[in-house]
Amino acid sequence: MNILAVIPARGGSKGVPGKNKKLLHGKPLIQYSIDAALQSKHISEVVVTTDDDEIIAIAKSLGANVPFVRPKHLAEDTTPTLPVIQHAVSHFEAEGKQFDAICLLQPTSPFRPKGFLDKALETFQEKQTDSLVSVLEVPHQYNPHWTFEANDNGVLQIATGEQNIIPRRQELPKAYHRDGSVYITKTNVLMHEDSLYGNSVAYIVSDERFYVNIDTIEDWEKATELAKTITL
């Protein structure tokens, strides 16, 4: 498959100012995702989409393609990820370049073990689903079969809609949450269905030892400590 890696890295950030270019254990945060994409044997091209001149210079120096400056209306705090990816794909399509799938790599989830991205891409191609996401298992106490919602009368009901709660932890089906590390989607699903997921979603389970999603200073501090101990 012809796969485009898209790395979104706008200049602004409220939680951690300038985080995408901020040094994390001696490297700009964005470098972790660029390096992972460039090392993959299944990624055809790596593009960084940003509105920031410094990030453009960093990305180009690291070997990523930065063929455009992201428009300001796609670089706001509230800008969703989907239109940012669609804008990047549209740029390449206008040049006559077509990709079978898009691999979204968010700089805020920087740590991907060696070989993990290729395993995800191979699983996606094997499953032939509309998309694939990396996930972590939900701890049993937060399993949706053990969580509740309040109805209009202020009475709790099981979030899954079941009438009777599963009594034993061992009987709970496994549940997963997205960890933000890898998203892979067929291009036609992204562009024509306006979705990162489509109708069928495969998954790959991440190593929780590498998990961090940098949104706050506390997250940055956790990432700094992790970077000292892990090998990518």
Side-chain angles (χ1 to χ4, degrees):
M1 297 180 75
N2 197 23
I3 299 174
L4 173 69
V6 176
I7 301 173
R10 67 187 185 90
S13 173
K14 289 184 177 179
V16 183
K19 65 184 174 186
N20 286 313
K21 53 193 173 186
K22 186 178 173 69
L23 294 183
L24 176 65
H25 199 52
K27 297 193 295 187
L29 178 63
I30 193 175
Q31 182 172 349
Y32 290 87
S33 295
I34 291 174
D35 286 349
L38 290 175
Q39 290 165 10
S40 168
K41 60 186 178 183
H42 298 299
I43 295 293
S44 307
E45 188 160 352
V46 182
V47 64
V48 170
T49 167
T50 183
D51 61 324
D52 186 275
D53 290 340
E54 285 188 69
I55 294 176
I56 289 173
I58 292 169
K60 286 183 175 180
S61 73
L62 294 170
N65 186 11
V66 193
F68 56 81
V69 178
R70 194 197 305 182
K72 292 297 181 184
H73 72 277
L74 290 176
E76 305 292 338
D77 286 335
T78 56
T79 302
T81 301
L82 181 59
V84 173
I85 302 173
Q86 290 172 327
H87 173 263
V89 173
S90 295
H91 171 86
F92 286 104
E93 289 183 342
E95 293 186 338
K97 283 187 175 181
Q98 302 290 329
F99 294 95
D100 300 305
I102 308 302
C103 178
L104 167 65
L105 299 176
Q106 300 184 118
T108 46
S109 297
F111 305 135
R112 302 171 184 91
K114 186 176 181 179
F116 180 74
L117 180 54
D118 277 339
K119 184 179 178 182
L121 290 161
E122 289 160 8
T123 301
F124 171 69
Q125 295 185 61
E126 176 189 334
K127 297 294 184 181
Q128 298 186 352
T129 50
D130 287 341
S131 64
L132 175 143
V133 296
S134 58
V135 298
L136 287 170
E137 188 173 343
V138 175
H140 70 270
Q141 62 267 37
Y142 302 124
N143 190 289
H145 296 272
W146 274 11
T147 59
F148 298 87
E149 298 173 347
N151 63 20
D152 294 338
N153 297 319
V155 175
L156 290 179
Q157 56 192 27
I158 303 172
T160 56
E162 297 161 298
Q163 294 301 309
N164 299 309
I165 196 164
I166 296 174
R168 300 174 66 246
R169 173 179 57 81
Q170 292 83 355
E171 297 174 19
L172 288 170
K174 287 185 178 182
Y176 302 94
H177 68 90
R178 298 167 298 165
D179 72 333
S181 182
V182 177
Y183 294 80
I184 308 168
T185 313
K186 289 181 178 177
T187 306
N188 67 307
V189 172
L190 275 167
M191 302 303 288
H192 303 300
E193 298 180 20
D194 286 329
S195 174
L196 269 175
Y197 308 101
N199 296 315
S200 55
V201 185
Y203 70 96
I204 182 170
V205 180
S206 299
D207 186 333
E208 63 181 11
R209 294 174 299 175
F210 291 77
Y211 174 68
V212 67
N213 193 335
I214 301 172
D215 188 48
T216 66
I217 291 296
E218 291 74 21
D219 297 330
W220 184 271
E221 292 171 353
K222 176 184 176 181
T224 299
E225 292 305 310
L226 271 177
K228 296 175 183 177
T229 61
I230 61 176
T231 302
L232 300 177

